Amino acid sequence: MNKFHVIATSVALAAAFTTSAYAGARFDAIKAKGFVQCGVSTGLPGFSMADDKGSWSGLDVDVCRAAAAAMFGDASKVKYSPLTAKERFTALQSGEIDILSRNTTWTLTRDSSLGLNFAGVNYYDGQGFMVTKKLGVKSALELDGASFCIQAGTTTELNLADYFRANKMSYTPITYDSSDETAKAFDAGRCDALTSDQSQLYALRIKLGNPDGAVVLPEIISKEPLGPVVAQGDDEWFNLVKWSLYAMLNAEELGITSANVDEMKSSKDPNVLRLLGAEGIKGKGLGVADEWAYSIVKQVGNYGEAFERNVGMGSPLKIARGQNALWNKGGIQYAPPIR
Amino acid sequence: MAVDQNTDAVPAKAALWRRPAFRATVFQILLVLGLVAFGYYLFQNTLHNLQLRGISTGFGFLSYEAGFGILQSLIEFDETHTYGRTFLVGLLNTLLIAGLGIFFATIIGFVMGVARLSKNWLIAKIATVYIETFRNIPLLLQIMFWYFAILQPLPGPRQSLSFNDSVFLNNRGFYLPGPVFGEGFNIVFAAIVIAIVAVIFLARWARKRQEDTGQQFHTVYASLAILFGLPLIVFFIMGSPLSWEYPALKGFNFKGGIVVIPELIALLVALSIYTGAFIAEAVRSGILAVSHGQTEAAYALGIRPGVTLRMVIIPQALRVIIPQLTSQYLNLTKNSSLATAVGYPDLVAVFAGTTLNQTGQAVEVIAMTMGVYLTISLTISMFMNWYNKRKQLVER
Ligand SMILES: N[C@@H](CCC(=O)N[C@@H](CS)C(=O)NCC(=O)O)C(=O)O
């Protein structure tokens, strides 16, 4: 019951007498409790999805696992909280979760007025449309007067309104709580189109009764940089999450994979040695073990591996790297150096 | 005992602080002050904590542009209106579903409650099965069931079922011609108001006459005549200032006229049927609480069964029914917030959902939302208490 959920967390916020008195309080608290509480979606193939045994996987899940690997040397020290789009920020603000890694778009409002910090971008996305083939629509500009199934509490709601306003077209939004209902309503013909971040359209299409009956339109109407988020007030924890993601990106750039990471330890490249904790500042600045990045690559893999496994060619989604390729491979994924 | 009596009988001249009444007042004032102080402390603390965490506070957001659309709005709304307006839109949608739900649940409840006591075996069994089934299935499931049960079989807009080319039914909603009021319609409207007032006076007069003289007057027929006759006459005198706008398929969907969205229908059906089952039980218990002697006495006087039910049993049963009815009305109103499950844009879905999420101001938004439900609930309670008082046994 998400109503009670929101009420409960707001009451918790209101009653939070104990203010984190020192920086790093959360970092220490996570260390003490021994696991990372990770806010994920209620089920989005490729990004965060539980299998029938209840174990989670996905590109967003891997960010949490990387942070746990850096912190504890064990990527499995993660517990998951499935959240709808509406619930996610309250859960983070109230301290119920440590990281929100749930295809969340980095925007000015969210970064500046919700008490949150975005720790990077693990997927560059943009909003798109999916329609049934029967409709015979080729472009979003032909959708004047159409109705759209969308999810509440998302940037999708806002972009849709902006797009139709800018193009002087009319539309009807039908807003659901979870992606499951959104997909089901689209399946049942309640709306002409389903709109969401494009990657999620491919993910939702798998969930449809007849996936081949739906097409994704070519238009992208917004910028959706998706990334992990933490609550403000603990820079140490913020740093660790940020650099866990950067470590995955740097590892791909340096050609370190989960398969060759042990051999790489004897590499002559100082960049590789610094990442694997043999040289340089090691784990000192972050306050974790020296082999923090080694644990990430060994247990989670580098960014490219995670991408291919979850959403790329090794997955049912078959999304091309596109913008999410490394900066030196034609994409825009770029991580600051580890040194 | 003896001690008690002693303290009660403190002489009026005793020191002020020894008087029980005075002391009671002082303690009550202290308690209230304490509560207010505690509330203020909580409030300040919350503000402080929110600021510390970099979360915006205050009600300034209510005047910012909302930037999102809402499926159904009883007042003008588009994405350029404010967050404050989304509150109103959500509130009106909540009141609409609660009002309609209470209306239908009451009808269903009374019919089924009486039917369950019927001497006709089949009717009684049908009512029993209805009550036992719907009371025992979680409401959320029922809402989802009706929603997809309505959506699945209905055709898309281009294959709409149509009646007379003016009423259409498809999986986007139920489309009806909408009235377009022409010039002079306000006079017709005034005639309707006058007719209603006249009927109320007529009913009072008829009752007084019956009490005084024992003569009955056929209020029903006279009322109907006034209610329809007067406005109709005025309507034609004014030259029929009313036209209809028919829904028509334009592009993807129907435009024009009135649309009843499937979310509203599903929610309304589920809420009415679910709450109706509880009301039916309240009605049954109320009727059973009236001693059987009343029925026998009425029959002995030669009063027909239907009249006995209406004039003898129900008025007495109401005294038992009304308090239970009140709590069912309150339940229905609060349950209407399950709307968000099927995308009906009620207060919780729109304001405590999207607006909360876009602004992140959970404390303010939830406080306002809870305030609304509290106000609606207290209003219903007050009204029902007033009605209950009127129906109470007046001892002469
Ligand atoms: N990136 C957007 C949209 C995120 C979003 O919630 N998308 C939906 C797509 S339908 C989703 O992932 N839902 C999964 C769920 O509800 O568990 C945002 O941050 O507001």
Side-chain angles (χ1 to χ4, degrees):
Chain A
M1 297 272 115
N2 43 53
K3 176 179 42 150
F4 298 114
H5 180 99
V6 173
I7 291 177
T9 43
S10 337
V11 171
L13 261 184
F17 294 111
T18 49
T19 52
S20 25
Y22 62 101
R26 175 158 294 263
F27 184 93
D28 292 347
I30 296 169
K31 202 163 206 165
K33 72 181 171 181
F35 62 87
V36 174
Q37 190 74 42
C38 174
V40 289
S41 79
T42 57
L44 193 64
F47 289 85
S48 43
M49 181 90 181
D51 63 16
D52 43 15
K53 286 181 217 70
S55 71
W56 288 84
S57 63
L59 193 63
D60 286 343
V61 166
D62 281 347
V63 175
C64 291
R65 297 183 65 234
M71 179 81 121
F72 305 110
D74 183 351
S76 67
K77 294 259 185 296
V78 186
K79 290 192 178 169
Y80 298 93
S81 306
L83 299 165
T84 65
K86 251 163 64 169
E87 298 163 339
R88 57 188 158 170
F89 299 123
T90 322
L92 195 57
Q93 289 168 338
S94 65
E96 204 179 306
I97 54 173
D98 302 317
I99 315 184
L100 176 69
S101 187
R102 190 205 165 283
N103 43 64
T104 298
T105 305
W106 188 346
T107 69
L108 171 63
T109 311
R110 289 174 177 175
D111 206 358
S112 64
S113 69
L114 303 195
L116 312 174
N117 276 329
F118 281 80
V121 176
N122 70 333
Y123 191 98
Y124 287 97
D125 210 338
Q127 184 171 332
F129 297 94
M130 177 162 71
V131 295
T132 51
K133 274 198 184 127
K134 281 204 312 268
L135 210 57
V137 168
K138 294 276 168 312
S139 149
L141 290 166
E142 295 168 30
L143 288 172
D144 191 6
S147 28
F148 294 85
C149 288
I150 50 178
Q151 201 169 337
T154 56
T155 46
T156 315
E157 280 187 284
L158 307 176
N159 296 328
L160 182 66
D162 283 358
Y163 182 74
F164 276 77
R165 199 166 131 197
N167 288 300
K168 300 203 171 49
M169 304 194 295
S170 71
Y171 74 103
T172 309
I174 305 136
T175 317
Y176 299 94
D177 267 0
S178 77
S179 58
D180 248 3
E181 287 159 22
T182 318
K184 258 207 274 180
F186 176 68
D187 237 355
R190 174 62 182 104
C191 46
D192 300 301
L194 195 162
T195 173
S196 176
D197 300 345
Q198 206 176 42
S199 64
Q200 291 142 41
L201 292 179
Y202 290 108
L204 289 177
R205 193 165 72 163
I206 304 178
K207 284 188 170 184
L208 296 179
N210 171 20
D212 292 332
V215 281
V216 174
L217 297 180
E219 278 92 348
I220 295 285
I221 64 165
S222 69
K223 287 192 289 186
E224 309 286 332
L226 312 178
V229 201
V230 297
Q232 274 178 20
D234 186 337
D235 289 349
E236 290 178 37
W237 176 234
F238 178 40
N239 279 344
L240 187 70
V241 175
K242 194 159 56 181
W243 283 96
S244 298
L245 176 59
Y246 291 159
M248 291 174 76
L249 286 164
N250 277 312
E252 183 185 5
E253 195 175 326
L254 296 170
I256 315 174
T257 66
S258 55
N260 71 8
V261 63
D262 285 309
E263 298 153 36
M264 282 297 208
K265 271 185 162 168
S266 50
S267 161
K268 295 281 170 301
D269 184 345
N271 286 307
V272 173
L273 295 177
R274 271 195 300 271
L275 187 128
L276 296 180
E279 274 180 19
I281 185 171
K282 304 175 178 173
K284 229 161 110 218
L286 292 174
V288 292
D290 287 345
E291 61 276 13
W292 63 277
Y294 166 83
S295 304
I296 294 177
V297 180
K298 177 89 187 163
Q299 298 176 28
V300 185
N302 68 33
Y303 180 77
E305 289 178 88
F307 192 99
E308 293 308 332
R309 177 174 67 227
N310 294 307
V311 298
M313 296 307 157
S315 77
L317 270 71
K318 307 243 180 298
I319 299 177
R321 279 297 284 272
Q323 287 181 312
N324 290 294
L326 292 181
W327 59 283
N328 51 6
K329 299 261 173 60
I332 51 176
Q333 282 289 6
Y334 183 108
I338 293 192
R339 67 180 311 132
Chain B
M1 266 299 138
V3 180
D4 270 347
Q5 275 165 3
N6 251 342
T7 45
D8 274 356
V10 176
K13 268 168 275 158
L16 195 57
W17 58 273
R18 294 197 56 185
R19 285 188 210 152
F22 175 74
R23 278 197 299 202
T25 317
V26 169
F27 281 128
Q28 283 181 29
I29 291 175
L30 283 180
L31 184 67
V32 170
L33 282 180
L35 277 178
V36 170
F38 182 64
Y40 181 74
Y41 170 72
L42 272 186
F43 179 71
Q44 284 301 324
N45 207 293
T46 307
L47 277 190
H48 176 74
N49 276 320
L50 289 175
Q51 232 141 44
L52 217 64
R53 286 160 200 227
I55 300 173
S56 315
T57 51
F59 288 92
F61 72 96
L62 289 175
S63 61
Y64 302 162
E65 188 180 289
F68 62 92
I70 301 178
L71 175 56
Q72 171 192 294
S73 174
L74 298 179
I75 50 178
E76 199 192 326
F77 181 85
D78 63 43
E79 53 277 353
T80 58
H81 284 100
T82 62
Y83 284 124
R85 187 98 170 171
T86 66
F87 173 76
L88 278 186
V89 171
L91 175 61
L92 289 175
N93 284 342
T94 289
L95 291 177
L96 176 72
I97 187 74
L100 288 173
I102 285 176
F103 177 77
F104 287 111
T106 309
I107 295 180
I108 296 177
F110 271 80
V111 169
M112 285 298 175
V114 171
R116 191 170 181 181
L117 294 172
S118 164
K119 292 218 179 55
N120 182 322
W121 184 86
L122 186 65
I123 290 180
K125 274 292 166 286
I126 289 176
T128 308
V129 169
Y130 156 73
I131 291 169
E132 293 307 333
T133 313
F134 286 97
R135 235 168 30 132
N136 291 311
I137 298 177
L139 178 58
L140 186 60
L141 286 184
Q142 294 193 35
I143 295 176
M144 299 289 241
F145 168 79
W146 288 113
Y147 187 49
F148 287 103
I150 289 171
L151 278 191
Q152 296 286 4
L154 287 177
R158 289 173 195 181
Q159 293 83 36
S160 298
L161 308 171
S162 87
F163 310 100
N164 214 0
D165 261 350
S166 52
V167 176
F168 299 90
L169 183 65
N170 58 45
N171 58 15
R172 306 292 161 78
F174 187 39
Y175 293 81
L176 303 159
V180 181
F181 302 114
E183 226 176 300
F185 194 84
N186 31 10
I187 299 183
V188 180
F189 190 72
I192 296 175
V193 174
I194 292 171
I196 292 173
V197 174
V199 165
I200 294 174
F201 274 102
L202 180 75
R204 287 204 171 165
W205 170 81
R207 204 176 58 218
K208 190 155 187 315
R209 192 174 84 139
Q210 189 179 357
E211 277 168 10
D212 291 348
T213 66
Q215 279 178 308
Q216 285 192 347
F217 181 78
H218 281 294
T219 342
V220 181
Y221 300 120
S223 303
L224 284 179
I226 297 176
L227 224 42
F228 287 98
L230 184 64
L232 271 181
I233 294 170
V234 177
F235 180 75
F236 286 119
I237 292 176
M238 294 309 297
S240 315
L242 179 69
S243 55
W244 297 93
E245 184 196 29
Y246 292 96
L249 186 61
K250 287 217 183 74
F252 295 97
N253 288 299
F254 280 86
K255 293 234 171 76
I258 297 175
V259 54
V260 187
I261 53 175
E263 290 75 22
L264 174 68
I265 302 174
L267 193 62
L268 183 59
V269 170
L271 282 173
S272 314
I273 290 186
Y274 177 77
T275 315
F278 286 91
I279 293 180
E281 282 300 88
V283 168
R284 182 172 74 113
S285 72
I287 293 176
L288 289 179
V290 178
S291 121
H292 193 59
Q294 298 281 332
T295 319
E296 282 169 353
Y299 288 171
L301 290 174
I303 302 177
R304 274 175 287 129
V307 182
T308 306
L309 186 67
R310 255 187 314 122
M311 308 299 279
V312 179
I313 309 297
I314 298 273
Q316 300 188 68
L318 273 183
R319 291 177 196 133
V320 178
I321 297 173
I322 289 173
Q324 302 184 53
L325 208 53
T326 312
S327 67
Q328 288 314 324
Y329 287 174
L330 297 181
N331 280 346
L332 187 143
T333 308
K334 287 179 280 186
N335 284 339
S336 73
S337 63
L338 290 172
T340 145
V342 288
Y344 176 78
D346 80 325
L347 185 67
V348 171
V350 170
F351 191 64
T354 299
T355 298
L356 186 160
N357 191 276
Q358 303 294 5
T359 62
Q361 298 196 241
V363 176
E364 291 85 351
V365 169
I366 293 293
M368 282 174 75
T369 310
M370 292 201 298
V372 164
Y373 280 95
L374 187 66
T375 312
I376 298 178
S377 294
L378 288 180
T379 312
I380 295 179
S381 281
M382 261 159 54
F383 173 77
M384 294 302 280
N385 284 342
W386 166 82
Y387 188 64
N388 194 24
K389 276 230 180 65
R390 272 188 46 148
K391 292 285 165 192
Q392 277 310 328
L393 205 62
V394 190
E395 298 189 15
R396 283 182 250 231

